[in-house]
Amino acid sequence: MNYDAASLILGDVMSDQLCPCSLGLYSECCQPLHLGNARAQTAEQLMRSRYSAFAKHEIDYIIHTTTLGQQAVLDRAAIADWSKANQWLELEIVSSNEKLNKTHAQVEFKAHYHDGQQVQIHHEISHFVKYENAWYFLDPTTDMQITMKQPCICGSKKKFKQCCAEYV
């Protein structure tokens, strides 16, 4: 085995131990959240764990951390395809605003990935809602017909217009 091959193997072993979100070891960082042994304490922590879930193909976690009213309309196959079709390179948190109000927060990020042909950057400002002491992602891409007077998609029992409307 030459030096380059050994470096690649060692690099693969090390990258398996490092969390895709880059904050530490996977077993101590995002894995406990993915296994359901812990909950994200902040919207940024949830964002990081969702990025890691894409990198680790933890599709159930991605679905279960989307707001309750949106989970049923998510396309599991499309999420799995997106997760597996890309090599996830780096998560860059641009800004994190944990205090939009008592229950809402936003995280601006850039997800760097390789799509098989070239490096891409997905830049997004994501919104999150805290419901029953858990953070959830508000997915703006779902194809739902939502009226302002219906109960909110987050489960709060408030009217949608009084809760998450400005964030979806």
Side-chain angles (χ1 to χ4, degrees), residues 61-78:
Y61 183 79
I62 293 165
I63 291 172
H64 290 120
T65 56
T66 301
T67 193
L68 302 173
Q70 294 179 309
Q71 290 177 11
V73 299
L74 295 176
D75 185 342
R76 177 181 293 277

Side-chain angles (χ1 to χ4, degrees), residues 78-142:
I79 294 169
D81 288 347
W82 172 253
S83 170
K84 294 173 185 171
N86 298 298
Q87 178 186 7
W88 300 92
L89 304 173
E90 175 188 6
L91 175 65
E92 177 186 345
I93 301 295
V94 176
S95 67
S96 182
N97 185 349
E98 298 289 336
K99 301 280 184 178
L100 292 177
N101 63 35
K102 287 182 180 182
T103 57
H104 293 87
Q106 77 179 28
V107 178
E108 180 178 2
F109 69 93
K110 293 179 182 178
H112 301 255
Y113 63 96
H114 196 283
D115 66 4
Q117 295 184 20
Q118 63 184 9
V119 173
Q120 303 285 340
I121 299 174
H122 174 80
H123 184 190
E124 182 176 314
I125 298 174
S126 292
H127 290 92
F128 299 86
V129 61
K130 192 171 188 178
Y131 173 67
E132 292 188 350
N133 214 22
W135 283 101
Y136 295 94
F137 171 62
L138 288 161
D139 190 336
T141 67
T142 59

Side-chain angles (χ1 to χ4, degrees), residues 20-59:
C21 84
S22 74
L23 285 186
L25 297 177
Y26 177 64
S27 63
E28 298 170 2
C29 189
C30 291
Q31 187 178 37
L33 283 77
H34 294 168
L35 294 174
N37 297 332
R39 282 188 173 174
Q41 298 302 301
T42 65
E44 182 178 331
Q45 186 182 23
L46 182 63
M47 175 64 245
R48 289 180 173 281
S49 69
R50 286 175 59 86
Y51 172 85
S52 293
F54 276 102
K56 295 284 190 178
H57 316 300
E58 295 287 345
I59 309 309

